[in-house]
Amino acid sequence: MIENLMILGKRILELRKRHSMTQEKLANEMGVSIGAVSKWETGASIPDLTMLCALADFFHVSTDYLLGRNLPNHFLICDDSTFMGGMVTDMIHHLGYSAKSVENSTQLFQALETALPYGIFLDVHIPDENGLDILKRIKKEYPTLHVVMLTADTSEEVHSLATEYGAEYFVYKPFSFEHLQAAIKAIL
């Protein structure tokens, strides 16, 4: 129960910051005190059911997401190769999960504004922004998202930096269905 309170608090904080809102602005939007928002974010209290639904509607997420119950059923793939993105998407579908593929950071962050996936498979070499910079940005704006690096770059430098920036697993190209399956299992 305590863990769920902390997840809820972290999610409210994450969503508030992602929307560049102060606690005061969120409090005004929800019709509560600043202290109530602060207590939600620290896990000292929880919003009632009506407020939980209002928060979910306001931030365009599910109540399950707010409560840390997001089912690990949707993944986002960011790879500059349409072929590779499609192949990974097909493999993930074969494993029983949903997936969407995008080809650059602009599309990635637009997709994140629409719906939050459980995890992201991120290539290191993306044409409009370096994958490591994208990873840092993801972890800053969406700290609870799981990120798997999907790359042909096996250098120790890239591996070390990606790990430092928050990558949880690596799938090196070329890879097998089993490697992809192991990555999903590792982040679930």
Side-chain angles (χ1 to χ4, degrees):
M1 178 67 169
I2 300 290
E3 184 178 320
N4 288 348
L5 289 177
M6 294 310 296
I7 290 172
L8 174 60
K10 285 179 184 177
R11 297 267 166 104
I12 292 170
L13 175 65
E14 171 188 319
L15 290 164
R16 179 178 62 78
K17 286 186 174 185
R18 187 174 341 135
H19 287 83
S20 302
M21 297 180 77
T22 63
Q23 286 182 337
E24 181 179 12
K25 185 171 181 183
L26 180 59
N28 288 337
E29 290 288 336
M30 296 292 108
V32 298
S33 70
I34 298 168
V37 173
S38 177
K39 286 179 180 180
W40 297 341
E41 292 180 353
T42 61
S45 73
I46 59 171
D48 66 22
L49 183 58
T50 304
M51 185 57 63
L52 187 67
C53 292
L55 285 163
D57 290 343
F58 181 78
F59 287 121
H60 306 290
V61 297
S62 70
T63 53
D64 280 342
Y65 175 79
L66 285 175
L67 294 170
R69 297 181 56 177
N70 56 321
L71 298 176
N73 64 354
H74 183 67
F75 295 91
L76 192 57
I77 297 93
C78 185
D79 195 297
D80 61 324
S81 164
T82 303
F83 173 77
M84 182 61 68
M87 185 175 74
V88 174
T89 299
D90 289 346
M91 288 178 159
I92 290 174
H93 287 159
H94 184 74
L95 289 167
Y97 303 103
S98 68
K100 177 181 177 180
S101 179
V102 296
E103 296 178 8
N104 58 53
S105 68
T106 302
Q107 293 173 353
L108 173 69
F109 286 100
Q110 286 173 344
L112 290 173
E113 286 297 320
T114 305
L116 287 174
Y118 183 78
I120 299 172
F121 286 83
L122 177 63
D123 191 2
V124 171
H125 301 290
I126 302 296
D128 65 340
E129 190 175 350
N130 179 287
L132 294 173
D133 292 334
I134 296 169
L135 173 61
K136 283 196 292 190
R137 188 170 155 201
I138 288 169
K139 287 303 193 172
K140 180 180 179 192
E141 295 179 28
Y142 305 91
T144 60
L145 282 181
H146 300 280
V147 180
V148 173
M149 299 310 292
L150 180 68
T151 182
D153 191 333
T154 60
S155 71
E156 183 60 37
E157 179 185 12
V158 166
H159 186 94
S160 293
L161 287 172
T163 301
E164 178 184 331
Y165 298 158
E168 297 174 55
Y169 201 84
F170 292 80
V171 174
Y172 292 108
K173 301 173 188 175
F175 58 89
S176 67
F177 179 78
E178 289 77 19
H179 287 128
L180 195 65
Q181 189 173 24
I184 291 174
K185 186 176 180 180
I187 64 172
L188 288 180

PDB file of all heavy atoms in Angstrom, residues 19-37:
ATOM      1  N   HIS A  19       3.810  19.029 -17.681  1.00  0.00           N
ATOM      2  CA  HIS A  19       2.919  20.083 -18.171  1.00  0.00           C
ATOM      3  C   HIS A  19       3.360  21.475 -17.700  1.00  0.00           C
ATOM      4  O   HIS A  19       2.608  22.439 -17.803  1.00  0.00           O
ATOM      5  CB  HIS A  19       1.480  19.797 -17.728  1.00  0.00           C
ATOM      6  CG  HIS A  19       0.854  18.680 -18.487  1.00  0.00           C
ATOM      7  ND1 HIS A  19       1.050  17.351 -18.156  1.00  0.00           N
ATOM      8  CD2 HIS A  19       0.061  18.682 -19.582  1.00  0.00           C
ATOM      9  CE1 HIS A  19       0.394  16.598 -19.004  1.00  0.00           C
ATOM     10  NE2 HIS A  19      -0.213  17.376 -19.882  1.00  0.00           N
ATOM     11  N   SER A  20       4.581  21.563 -17.166  1.00  0.00           N
ATOM     12  CA  SER A  20       5.166  22.832 -16.707  1.00  0.00           C
ATOM     13  C   SER A  20       4.227  23.573 -15.761  1.00  0.00           C
ATOM     14  O   SER A  20       4.018  24.784 -15.896  1.00  0.00           O
ATOM     15  CB  SER A  20       5.526  23.716 -17.905  1.00  0.00           C
ATOM     16  OG  SER A  20       6.422  23.064 -18.753  1.00  0.00           O
ATOM     17  N   MET A  21       3.692  22.844 -14.812  1.00  0.00           N
ATOM     18  CA  MET A  21       2.750  23.426 -13.856  1.00  0.00           C
ATOM     19  C   MET A  21       3.373  23.491 -12.467  1.00  0.00           C
ATOM     20  O   MET A  21       4.111  22.604 -12.070  1.00  0.00           O
ATOM     21  CB  MET A  21       1.479  22.574 -13.765  1.00  0.00           C
ATOM     22  CG  MET A  21       0.682  22.482 -15.040  1.00  0.00           C
ATOM     23  SD  MET A  21      -0.791  21.460 -14.811  1.00  0.00           S
ATOM     24  CE  MET A  21      -1.813  22.625 -13.935  1.00  0.00           C
ATOM     25  N   THR A  22       3.032  24.532 -11.745  1.00  0.00           N
ATOM     26  CA  THR A  22       3.393  24.613 -10.335  1.00  0.00           C
ATOM     27  C   THR A  22       2.342  23.849  -9.533  1.00  0.00           C
ATOM     28  O   THR A  22       1.254  23.551 -10.040  1.00  0.00           O
ATOM     29  CB  THR A  22       3.407  26.078  -9.858  1.00  0.00           C
ATOM     30  OG1 THR A  22       2.080  26.605  -9.989  1.00  0.00           O
ATOM     31  CG2 THR A  22       4.412  26.916 -10.653  1.00  0.00           C
ATOM     32  N   GLN A  23       2.665  23.578  -8.287  1.00  0.00           N
ATOM     33  CA  GLN A  23       1.668  22.959  -7.413  1.00  0.00           C
ATOM     34  C   GLN A  23       0.454  23.878  -7.282  1.00  0.00           C
ATOM     35  O   GLN A  23      -0.683  23.416  -7.255  1.00  0.00           O
ATOM     36  CB  GLN A  23       2.265  22.669  -6.033  1.00  0.00           C
ATOM     37  CG  GLN A  23       3.210  21.494  -6.023  1.00  0.00           C
ATOM     38  CD  GLN A  23       3.743  21.196  -4.631  1.00  0.00           C
ATOM     39  OE1 GLN A  23       3.762  22.057  -3.749  1.00  0.00           O
ATOM     40  NE2 GLN A  23       4.195  19.958  -4.445  1.00  0.00           N
ATOM     41  N   GLU A  24       0.704  25.167  -7.233  1.00  0.00           N
ATOM     42  CA  GLU A  24      -0.387  26.131  -7.108  1.00  0.00           C
ATOM     43  C   GLU A  24      -1.331  26.069  -8.308  1.00  0.00           C
ATOM     44  O   GLU A  24      -2.557  26.068  -8.148  1.00  0.00           O
ATOM     45  CB  GLU A  24       0.178  27.551  -6.960  1.00  0.00           C
ATOM     46  CG  GLU A  24      -0.888  28.611  -6.806  1.00  0.00           C
ATOM     47  CD  GLU A  24      -0.318  30.011  -6.634  1.00  0.00           C
ATOM     48  OE1 GLU A  24       0.901  30.204  -6.864  1.00  0.00           O
ATOM     49  OE2 GLU A  24      -1.096  30.901  -6.268  1.00  0.00           O
ATOM     50  N   LYS A  25      -0.755  25.984  -9.505  1.00  0.00           N
ATOM     51  CA  LYS A  25      -1.606  25.943 -10.697  1.00  0.00           C
ATOM     52  C   LYS A  25      -2.431  24.654 -10.734  1.00  0.00           C
ATOM     53  O   LYS A  25      -3.616  24.683 -11.049  1.00  0.00           O
ATOM     54  CB  LYS A  25      -0.754  26.073 -11.963  1.00  0.00           C
ATOM     55  CG  LYS A  25      -1.592  26.150 -13.217  1.00  0.00           C
ATOM     56  CD  LYS A  25      -0.789  26.495 -14.447  1.00  0.00           C
ATOM     57  CE  LYS A  25      -1.733  26.566 -15.641  1.00  0.00           C
ATOM     58  NZ  LYS A  25      -1.050  26.813 -16.876  1.00  0.00           N
ATOM     59  N   LEU A  26      -1.803  23.522 -10.402  1.00  0.00           N
ATOM     60  CA  LEU A  26      -2.555  22.266 -10.369  1.00  0.00           C
ATOM     61  C   LEU A  26      -3.639  22.327  -9.305  1.00  0.00           C
ATOM     62  O   LEU A  26      -4.777  21.896  -9.542  1.00  0.00           O
ATOM     63  CB  LEU A  26      -1.625  21.073 -10.122  1.00  0.00           C
ATOM     64  CG  LEU A  26      -2.324  19.706 -10.075  1.00  0.00           C
ATOM     65  CD1 LEU A  26      -3.070  19.401 -11.377  1.00  0.00           C
ATOM     66  CD2 LEU A  26      -1.310  18.604  -9.782  1.00  0.00           C
ATOM     67  N   ALA A  27      -3.320  22.878  -8.145  1.00  0.00           N
ATOM     68  CA  ALA A  27      -4.316  23.016  -7.075  1.00  0.00           C
ATOM     69  C   ALA A  27      -5.510  23.840  -7.556  1.00  0.00           C
ATOM     70  O   ALA A  27      -6.670  23.460  -7.323  1.00  0.00           O
ATOM     71  CB  ALA A  27      -3.675  23.660  -5.843  1.00  0.00           C
ATOM     72  N   ASN A  28      -5.238  24.940  -8.243  1.00  0.00           N
ATOM     73  CA  ASN A  28      -6.321  25.778  -8.767  1.00  0.00           C
ATOM     74  C   ASN A  28      -7.168  25.019  -9.784  1.00  0.00           C
ATOM     75  O   ASN A  28      -8.394  25.115  -9.775  1.00  0.00           O
ATOM     76  CB  ASN A  28      -5.767  27.061  -9.390  1.00  0.00           C
ATOM     77  CG  ASN A  28      -5.242  28.028  -8.352  1.00  0.00           C
ATOM     78  OD1 ASN A  28      -5.631  27.983  -7.188  1.00  0.00           O
ATOM     79  ND2 ASN A  28      -4.322  28.900  -8.767  1.00  0.00           N
ATOM     80  N   GLU A  29      -6.508  24.272 -10.674  1.00  0.00           N
ATOM     81  CA  GLU A  29      -7.231  23.504 -11.695  1.00  0.00           C
ATOM     82  C   GLU A  29      -8.136  22.433 -11.068  1.00  0.00           C
ATOM     83  O   GLU A  29      -9.212  22.143 -11.565  1.00  0.00           O
ATOM     84  CB  GLU A  29      -6.257  22.835 -12.667  1.00  0.00           C
ATOM     85  CG  GLU A  29      -5.528  23.785 -13.585  1.00  0.00           C
ATOM     86  CD  GLU A  29      -6.412  24.375 -14.665  1.00  0.00           C
ATOM     87  OE1 GLU A  29      -7.445  23.778 -15.020  1.00  0.00           O
ATOM     88  OE2 GLU A  29      -6.060  25.471 -15.155  1.00  0.00           O
ATOM     89  N   MET A  30      -7.662  21.844  -9.966  1.00  0.00           N
ATOM     90  CA  MET A  30      -8.402  20.750  -9.320  1.00  0.00           C
ATOM     91  C   MET A  30      -9.334  21.243  -8.218  1.00  0.00           C
ATOM     92  O   MET A  30     -10.123  20.466  -7.682  1.00  0.00           O
ATOM     93  CB  MET A  30      -7.428  19.717  -8.732  1.00  0.00           C
ATOM     94  CG  MET A  30      -6.568  18.998  -9.757  1.00  0.00           C
ATOM     95  SD  MET A  30      -7.540  17.903 -10.816  1.00  0.00           S
ATOM     96  CE  MET A  30      -7.520  18.808 -12.352  1.00  0.00           C
ATOM     97  N   GLY A  31      -9.225  22.517  -7.866  1.00  0.00           N
ATOM     98  CA  GLY A  31     -10.075  23.066  -6.810  1.00  0.00           C
ATOM     99  C   GLY A  31      -9.706  22.576  -5.418  1.00  0.00           C
ATOM    100  O   GLY A  31     -10.578  22.354  -4.575  1.00  0.00           O
ATOM    101  N   VAL A  32      -8.399  22.399  -5.192  1.00  0.00           N
ATOM    102  CA  VAL A  32      -7.910  21.943  -3.884  1.00  0.00           C
ATOM    103  C   VAL A  32      -6.815  22.897  -3.418  1.00  0.00           C
ATOM    104  O   VAL A  32      -6.387  23.785  -4.160  1.00  0.00           O
ATOM    105  CB  VAL A  32      -7.358  20.494  -3.949  1.00  0.00           C
ATOM    106  CG1 VAL A  32      -8.463  19.518  -4.363  1.00  0.00           C
ATOM    107  CG2 VAL A  32      -6.161  20.383  -4.889  1.00  0.00           C
ATOM    108  N   SER A  33      -6.323  22.679  -2.223  1.00  0.00           N
ATOM    109  CA  SER A  33      -5.250  23.516  -1.700  1.00  0.00           C
ATOM    110  C   SER A  33      -3.890  23.063  -2.252  1.00  0.00           C
ATOM    111  O   SER A  33      -3.733  21.917  -2.691  1.00  0.00           O
ATOM    112  CB  SER A  33      -5.221  23.445  -0.170  1.00  0.00           C
ATOM    113  OG  SER A  33      -4.790  22.165   0.246  1.00  0.00           O
ATOM    114  N   ILE A  34      -2.928  23.965  -2.176  1.00  0.00           N
ATOM    115  CA  ILE A  34      -1.557  23.628  -2.566  1.00  0.00           C
ATOM    116  C   ILE A  34      -1.042  22.517  -1.661  1.00  0.00           C
ATOM    117  O   ILE A  34      -0.345  21.597  -2.106  1.00  0.00           O
ATOM    118  CB  ILE A  34      -0.637  24.866  -2.483  1.00  0.00           C
ATOM    119  CG1 ILE A  34      -1.106  25.955  -3.443  1.00  0.00           C
ATOM    120  CG2 ILE A  34       0.807  24.492  -2.784  1.00  0.00           C
ATOM    121  CD1 ILE A  34      -0.448  27.309  -3.220  1.00  0.00           C
ATOM    122  N   GLY A  35      -1.407  22.576  -0.399  1.00  0.00           N
ATOM    123  CA  GLY A  35      -0.995  21.543   0.552  1.00  0.00           C
ATOM    124  C   GLY A  35      -1.489  20.166   0.162  1.00  0.00           C
ATOM    125  O   GLY A  35      -0.774  19.170   0.356  1.00  0.00           O
ATOM    126  N   ALA A  36      -2.703  20.087  -0.391  1.00  0.00           N
ATOM    127  CA  ALA A  36      -3.238  18.788  -0.834  1.00  0.00           C
ATOM    128  C   ALA A  36      -2.376  18.225  -1.955  1.00  0.00           C
ATOM    129  O   ALA A  36      -2.012  17.045  -1.934  1.00  0.00           O
ATOM    130  CB  ALA A  36      -4.687  18.930  -1.281  1.00  0.00           C
ATOM    131  N   VAL A  37      -2.017  19.069  -2.916  1.00  0.00           N
ATOM    132  CA  VAL A  37      -1.170  18.618  -4.033  1.00  0.00           C
ATOM    133  C   VAL A  37       0.184  18.165  -3.496  1.00  0.00           C
ATOM    134  O   VAL A  37       0.706  17.112  -3.886  1.00  0.00           O
ATOM    135  CB  VAL A  37      -1.004  19.726  -5.098  1.00  0.00           C
ATOM    136  CG1 VAL A  37       0.012  19.325  -6.151  1.00  0.00           C
ATOM    137  CG2 VAL A  37      -2.347  20.058  -5.744  1.00  0.00           C
TER     138      VAL A  37
END
